[in-house]
């Protein structure tokens, strides 16, 4: 029997089975789905209510006034001014998170975030048209079984790597500052060096790169030669204080640095703000010599 005849006879048998024993989708299957969906939503609403009404505004009242059966409402108040927060996804997104380290902005990130998922989706759509045998035994489906195992292994591997991946610590970036000062030629300008330290500690390198250090994330440009663009110290200062005024809504506002006095390496007060030394550092960055 040729493959096409086999398929025809299988399809015929399927149609007969449906006629004999089948039930229409509406209302049978739809009723089941509706009931089950309502149960799931009900459980979520129930758990959310228990969590909300057993916890109080203040996490410290847990165990006392409030039982906090399902955990406190929050553990720490959000700090909108933080600049050294290292964003990490929940564990079940670690594999995607790690893909972003393999595919670097800007060259291949489109491949990693759009290209590969699209290809996988197309394969998933095409599958019912390609895999038309009615065979379901795993031992007779080597391609599907091997593919599934490979997917599980690679997701496991990526999840593990994402879990143990280290972010560049501020202290490691700070350690690179003397080398920056040397290569950019501002080692004799204590204000620029102080600004480089603010830059290294302020979390700028979680998005920007500087002489090979840093993330290169979210489309943030390399700043190693920012001083050669002719913006001037004043221009750079107002940019960093509030980038949204210059059409940059990705970068946080660092205006708060204007009220923190800058210190040099010996801890001596430089008499100007951290925002100012940051701008002096950027202006002194004319690219490596
Ligand atoms: C959340 C990511 C992020 C962080 C953190 C960040 N930036 Fe940016 N920054 C960007 C992005 C994105 C751009 C580019 C916006 C554009 O091209 O419109 C940018 C642009 C800039 C520019 C202008 C570059 C140019 O040539 O156009 C400067 C200067 C700058 N950032 C300085 C800093 C400094 C200094 C810090 C730390 C105090 C910092 N940034 C922290 C994302 C960030």
């Amino acid at each position: 029997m040729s493959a096409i005849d086999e398929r025809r006879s299988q399809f015929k048998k399927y149609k007969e089975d449906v006629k004999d024993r089948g039930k229409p989708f509406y209302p049978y299957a739809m009723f089941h789905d509706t009931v089950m969906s309502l149960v799931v939503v009900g459980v979520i609403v129930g758990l959310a209510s228990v969590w909300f009404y057993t916890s109080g505004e203040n996490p410290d009242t847990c165990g006392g006034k409030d039982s906090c059966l399902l955990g406190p409402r929050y553990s720490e108040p959000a700090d909108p001014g933080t600049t050294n927060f290292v964003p990490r996804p929940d564990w079940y997104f670690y594999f995607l998170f790690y893909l972003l380290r393999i595919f670097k902005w800007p060259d291949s990130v489109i491949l990693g975030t759009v290209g590969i998922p699209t290809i996988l989706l197309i394969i998933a759509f095409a599958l019912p048209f390609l895999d038309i045998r009615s065979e379901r035994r795993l031992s007779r489906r080597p391609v599907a079984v091997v593919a599934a195992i490979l997917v599980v292994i690679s997701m496991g591997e990526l999840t593990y790597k994402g879990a143990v991946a280290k972010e560049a610590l501020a202290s490691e970036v700070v350690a690179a500052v003397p080398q920056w000062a040397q290569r950019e030629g501002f080692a004799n300008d204590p204000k620029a060096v102080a600004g480089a330290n603010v830059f290294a500690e302020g979390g700028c390198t979680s998005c920007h790169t500087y002489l090979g250090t840093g993330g290169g994330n979210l489309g943030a440009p390399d700043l190693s030669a920012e001083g050669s663009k002719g913006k001037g110290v004043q221009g750079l200062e107002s940019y960093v204080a509030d980038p949204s005024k210059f059409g940059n809504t990705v970068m946080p506002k660092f205006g708060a640095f204007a009220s923190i006095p800058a210190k040099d390496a010996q801890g001596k007060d430089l008499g100007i703000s951290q925002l100012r030394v940051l701008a002096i550092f950027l202006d002194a960055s004319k690219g490596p010599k």
Side-chain angles (χ1 to χ4, degrees):
M1 196 160 40
S2 78
I4 198 96
D5 288 335
E6 195 185 321
R7 255 174 243 153
R8 279 206 184 114
S9 74
Q10 275 171 6
F11 187 68
K12 213 171 129 221
K13 181 160 182 321
Y14 165 73
K15 280 290 178 196
E16 279 162 8
D17 281 355
V18 169
K19 219 171 170 183
D20 289 350
R21 298 180 271 139
K23 283 182 181 159
F25 181 79
Y26 177 84
Y28 295 96
M30 226 169 119
F31 177 71
H32 283 158
D33 287 4
T34 310
V35 170
M36 203 52 216
S37 311
L38 286 178
V39 168
V40 170
V41 171
V43 167
I44 293 173
V45 170
L47 287 174
S49 311
V50 170
W51 164 74
F52 189 81
Y53 288 109
T54 57
S55 64
E57 283 287 328
N58 184 350
D60 296 333
T61 59
C62 274
K65 190 162 76 66
D66 302 300
S67 65
C68 296
L69 202 58
L70 297 178
R73 204 165 298 176
Y74 55 81
S75 45
E76 255 173 68
D79 175 7
T82 182
T83 51
N84 53 13
F85 172 71
V86 182
R88 308 256 315 159
D90 283 320
W91 67 268
Y92 41 83
F93 280 131
Y94 277 161
F95 74 100
L96 273 179
F97 172 65
Y98 200 78
L99 272 188
L100 279 181
R101 296 193 160 218
I102 298 175
F103 298 98
K104 278 272 174 219
W105 183 275
D107 309 317
S108 56
V109 75
I110 299 292
L111 182 70
T113 53
V114 181
I116 291 182
T118 308
I119 292 172
L120 291 179
L121 263 182
I122 291 175
I123 293 179
F125 269 115
L127 208 55
F129 301 98
L130 299 176
D131 186 14
I132 42 184
R133 291 177 312 146
S134 55
E135 185 62 70
R136 285 295 168 266
R137 265 165 294 185
L138 291 184
S139 57
R140 301 256 178 103
R141 296 169 55 86
V143 178
V145 168
V146 169
I149 291 175
L150 284 182
V151 167
V152 170
I153 290 179
S154 47
M155 280 178 72
E157 170 83 6
L158 287 173
T159 302
Y160 173 73
K161 286 197 152 172
V164 299
K166 274 218 184 66
E167 306 296 332
L169 291 170
S171 58
E172 289 167 16
V173 183
V174 172
V177 168
Q179 193 207 335
W180 292 352
Q182 211 64 51
R183 287 179 63 195
E184 296 263 355
F186 58 74
N188 295 325
D189 180 350
K191 289 178 182 167
V193 174
N197 278 312
V198 174
F199 181 81
E201 286 166 358
C204 311
T205 50
S206 54
C207 295
H208 291 280
T209 50
Y210 191 92
L211 292 182
T213 307
N217 291 315
L218 301 171
D222 183 83
L223 295 177
S224 320
E226 184 64 15
S228 56
K229 293 183 182 167
K231 292 180 185 168
V233 175
Q234 192 58 52
L236 287 162
E237 191 176 322
S238 30
Y239 188 96
V240 176
D242 187 356
S244 69
K245 284 199 187 124
F246 301 83
N248 179 356
T249 49
V250 179
M251 179 168 146
K253 298 174 187 175
F254 289 97
F257 283 171
S259 51
I260 312 173
K263 297 205 164 72
D264 71 3
Q266 283 73 44
K268 197 164 76 47
D269 206 323
L270 289 168
I272 50 175
S273 74
Q274 286 202 346
L275 184 64
R276 188 80 190 176
V277 289
L278 195 51
I280 292 173
F281 152 71
L282 288 173
D283 189 58
S285 303
K286 313 274 193 213
K289 300 256 146 48

